[in-house]
Amino acid sequence: MNDLNTHQLTHWQLRTDDAGIAWATLDRAGESANTLSKAVLEELDRLLTHLDGQRPKALIIASGKSAGFVAGADIGEFTALASLEATKGFVALGWNVFERLAAVPYPTLALVRGHCLGGGLELAMACRYRVAVDEPGTKFALPEVMLGIFPGWGGMKRLPALVGPQVALDMMLTGRNVDAKKAKRLGLADECVAPRVMHNAARGLVLSGKPARCLPFMARLLNGPLKSVVANGARKQVAKKARPEHYPAPYAIIDFWQHHNGNALAAPEVMARITGNDTAKNLVRVFHLQERLKGFGKDGAFKAQRLHVVGAGVMGGDIAAVAALKGITVTLQDQELSRIAPAIARAKKLFQRRLKDKLLVRSAMDRLIPDPTGAGAAHADVVIEAIFENLDAKHALLKSQEARMKPEAVLATNTSSLKIEDLRTVLKQPERLVGIHFFNPVPMMPLVEVVEAGGTEGTAFRNACAFVKQIDKLPLPVKSAPGFLVNAVLAPYMLEAMRCVDEGIAPETVDAAMEAFGMPMGPIELADTVGLDIAMAAGKTLAAGAGGNVEPPRCLADKVAAGNLGKKSGRGFYDFSSGKPAKGTAGAIPAALAERLVAPLLAKTQQLVDDGIVADADLADAGVIFGTGFAPFTGGPLNYANQGAANQSATSIRSAARS
């Protein structure tokens, strides 16, 4: 059998083995990971034309990259499309090539090792069989919705047919991934095998003659005559989390599946809703911002084997738990075991939720070691203090830790409001102290501010970024200043919300205005969640840092004086006795209330960029999105301002920032 000449293929390699099986290996030229560009898809089409004349016994598609199978479509190429017609052309190319692959007369198989995402999964599903290699990196997902777009190359058609519409819609509407074992259980993969047998397993399955998987009867009904039942339920679930005017993609995915059998080309008017909306452009921007944050900490060879955390409260205990979850041996120090015990119990619940497997949970628990005497500090690669916000107490602690630590270890503080310059005055080597500022709840919040003061030693700062990256968080470099970036922009936002309450606007109405704007939580509920005492202290600290003496809102001062500190005390602006805020009905939202509330946040963000606290507007947008949940569909606060979405212009915002 004659294979294609190598000069005809740039990104694919084709060979035929002794059993007559054609092996098509994707190894995209000049890239570390496989993505599906126009050129890659056109080459696959030529490859299939060649095989039409050869009639192999079977075709196996595999990856030539160690990084994984296929990471999806080429995002850069997709986002460069300038019109609806260009988008339709790109969708049509992938749809037609994968439809052709699905219709070939010989059996086909995708051998999936590593990530299989977006267009990569659509490629795999166009094959008759799929073998998943059982490794931690093997993940299947259709994450297009997270970029504000849709899986247009057959995913909306084939995934419901393989795993049933309810599971498929859940995956497509959330972007959630499944591992190799779960893919096998769901029917997305036909086999789940160890790496050492993957090639033999692929050969055996592709020549087995095994019929393609058929859905159970009820799932076939839900994927056919009863589609409307599933679609209506899915719309109700999406509506709880995403407004169609902000996030049109999930609604479009449901429409494509329900009315057009997953063929986006059959509904150009629905496709136009996506391409004519800023959401996709802004969510792709957020994706690139996230990738930029991931880049901090990649340089250098630093890798922490041991972490020592001082302070077993909610923050310190959860920092320790997350690090242990990621494979680091952690010693957790507090004054006595009784103070450490709640953190250990909370960590166990986290491990059980994330790891599932009892042996893995036990291993993680073994890595988390109570250490009331603080002996672990002498062996740690990173030491983090996470005690209460008191300068004298932190001085005493940092001084004692420095004396016990290895010279090359990272010494860090999790302070949320104190300046690094003030904290390091008691150290013999003040330049080694950095800030590693986590956000609550630590297991959920992706961002960590890595704080650098003037004169901070460069290696310590880089190693701190590397540690944050090591535990799968997003490191954001910031300069030392009151509140750094995230708390500094949140404080004026929450205080403005409370001033509205002082003026007689109900807390529920204030929160409803910002939830309609696109925030995951309103500012009053956020203040209750953070703690009203903390909100007042942060406001005073930030005001003092700015040279002001701003009186706290009356409603805030009254609640703190009465001991109603928010969720942690059971009552603040809302009653938390049930564990959730008991809210009354929101009244009519006054015109421009959202714009009023968000204006101080926008102004403060711009000021921090102008003052060099964060390096540039893109990093500021990234920090505020991943640190506060600022509506991702806007692309970030400064992007929102510059797009003219705010009622006041970007110029007036900058003016307000400097006033």
Side-chain angles (χ1 to χ4, degrees), residues 44-59:
L44 176 58
D45 196 45
R46 292 205 303 274
L47 186 151
L48 293 175
T49 298
H50 172 78
L51 292 178
D52 282 345
Q54 301 297 324
R55 290 297 179 97
K57 286 187 178 179
L59 169 65

Side-chain angles (χ1 to χ4, degrees), residues 191-343:
E191 299 290 349
C192 175
V193 302
R196 67 181 183 278
V197 299
M198 62 183 186
H199 294 102
N200 286 338
R203 291 188 192 96
L205 179 58
V206 80
L207 296 177
S208 68
K210 178 181 175 181
R213 182 175 186 269
C214 183
L215 284 175
F217 175 71
M218 192 61 202
R220 293 202 302 275
L221 285 179
L222 294 172
N223 204 34
L226 299 181
K227 269 188 174 182
S228 61
V229 175
V230 180
N232 291 339
R235 286 190 188 92
K236 289 178 182 177
Q237 290 301 313
V238 170
K240 293 177 181 179
K241 297 183 178 180
R243 294 170 181 262
E245 66 270 25
H246 295 160
Y247 299 99
Y251 297 91
I253 288 170
I254 297 169
D255 286 347
F256 286 138
W257 169 72
Q258 181 182 5
H259 300 298
H260 306 286
N261 195 30
N263 183 359
L265 297 168
E269 73 286 354
V270 181
M271 195 185 299
R273 292 209 308 261
I274 306 301
T275 59
N277 193 291
D278 282 336
T279 294
K281 178 176 67 176
N282 287 338
L283 289 180
V284 170
R285 167 181 164 79
V286 173
F287 169 78
H288 288 304
L289 294 178
Q290 183 176 18
E291 292 301 300
R292 184 177 174 192
L293 292 179
K294 288 179 180 179
F296 295 111
K298 281 187 175 180
D299 297 335
F302 181 82
K303 188 172 183 180
Q305 302 296 325
R306 291 177 174 269
L307 166 69
H308 183 68
V309 179
V310 187
V314 172
M315 289 298 294
D318 286 359
I319 292 167
V322 167
L325 183 68
K326 298 302 178 181
I328 297 173
T329 298
V330 183
T331 45
L332 179 57
Q333 179 181 350
D334 213 309
Q335 292 175 331
E336 53 191 36
L337 279 173
S338 62
R339 295 194 177 193
I340 302 174

Side-chain angles (χ1 to χ4, degrees), residues 6-7 20 38 59 63 126 135 147 160 181 196 204 242 244 260 281 283 310 349 364 448 486 525 537 585 612 630:
T6 55
H7 71 271
K38 182 173 182 286
L59 169 65
S63 169
E135 289 183 325
L147 299 178
K181 286 188 174 71
R196 67 181 183 278
H260 306 286
K281 178 176 67 176
L283 289 180
V310 187
K349 290 180 180 179
V448 175
V486 173
E525 184 181 348
T585 303
F630 189 93

Side-chain angles (χ1 to χ4, degrees), residues 130-135 179-184 189-194:
R130 282 151 300 284
V131 169
V133 179
D134 188 12
E135 289 183 325
D179 61 20
K181 286 188 174 71
K182 188 168 185 179
K184 173 66 168 66
D190 298 276
E191 299 290 349
C192 175
V193 302

Side-chain angles (χ1 to χ4, degrees), residues 259-545:
H259 300 298
H260 306 286
N261 195 30
N263 183 359
L265 297 168
E269 73 286 354
V270 181
M271 195 185 299
R273 292 209 308 261
I274 306 301
T275 59
N277 193 291
D278 282 336
T279 294
K281 178 176 67 176
N282 287 338
L283 289 180
V284 170
R285 167 181 164 79
V286 173
F287 169 78
H288 288 304
L289 294 178
Q290 183 176 18
E291 292 301 300
R292 184 177 174 192
L293 292 179
K294 288 179 180 179
F296 295 111
K298 281 187 175 180
D299 297 335
F302 181 82
K303 188 172 183 180
Q305 302 296 325
R306 291 177 174 269
L307 166 69
H308 183 68
V309 179
V310 187
V314 172
M315 289 298 294
D318 286 359
I319 292 167
V322 167
L325 183 68
K326 298 302 178 181
I328 297 173
T329 298
V330 183
T331 45
L332 179 57
Q333 179 181 350
D334 213 309
Q335 292 175 331
E336 53 191 36
L337 279 173
S338 62
R339 295 194 177 193
I340 302 174
I344 300 297
R346 202 166 56 249
K348 185 174 183 179
K349 290 180 180 179
L350 174 67
F351 300 157
Q352 290 171 332
R353 196 164 60 245
R354 296 281 181 90
L355 298 174
K356 313 295 184 185
D357 186 291
K358 290 183 179 179
L359 291 177
L360 294 177
V361 170
R362 182 174 177 178
S363 294
M365 291 297 293
D366 288 344
R367 290 193 293 271
L368 182 54
I369 305 166
D371 184 18
T373 66
H379 309 286
D381 303 300
V382 178
V383 174
I384 300 177
E385 75 79 11
I387 65 171
F388 56 98
E389 294 287 90
N390 178 278
L391 185 62
D392 291 338
K394 287 182 184 286
H395 274 166
L397 176 61
L398 290 169
K399 187 175 180 180
S400 69
Q401 294 301 309
E402 183 187 35
R404 307 173 78 175
M405 291 170 57
K406 297 187 296 186
E408 70 276 13
V410 173
L411 176 59
T413 172
N414 183 53
T415 184
S416 59
S417 58
L418 300 174
K419 294 181 68 173
I420 305 300
E421 293 90 339
D422 295 334
L423 289 170
R424 69 186 185 182
T425 55
V426 297
L427 299 178
K428 291 181 179 179
Q429 293 179 284
E431 69 278 2
R432 75 185 299 187
L433 182 66
V434 296
I436 301 182
H437 179 221
F438 290 80
F439 297 94
N440 193 27
V442 174
M444 300 295 295
M445 296 298 289
L447 189 81
V448 175
E449 291 174 318
V450 183
V451 188
E452 179 182 21
T456 297
E457 202 273 314
T459 301
F461 181 77
R462 289 192 297 273
N463 290 350
C465 289
F467 165 73
V468 171
K469 179 72 173 57
Q470 184 181 343
I471 59 173
D472 288 341
K473 298 293 185 182
L474 300 174
L476 173 70
V478 294
K479 299 294 185 183
S480 178
F484 313 127
L485 171 69
V486 173
N487 285 349
V489 304
L490 277 180
Y493 166 64
M494 291 191 291
L495 293 174
E496 185 66 24
M498 294 175 203
R499 291 188 184 99
C500 289
V501 175
D502 279 351
E503 293 170 16
I505 302 175
E508 291 87 349
T509 303
V510 173
D511 281 348
M514 293 315 298
E515 288 164 5
F517 175 86
M519 296 297 201
M521 180 185 292
I524 301 298
E525 184 181 348
L526 177 62
D528 264 351
T529 303
V530 170
L532 300 185
D533 53 337
I534 294 173
M536 189 155 79
K540 288 180 177 178
T541 300
L542 295 173

Side-chain angles (χ1 to χ4, degrees), residues 36 76 115 188 195 224 245 361 453 543 553 658:
L36 299 174
H115 52 242
L188 183 52
E245 66 270 25
V361 170
R658 296 188 182 97

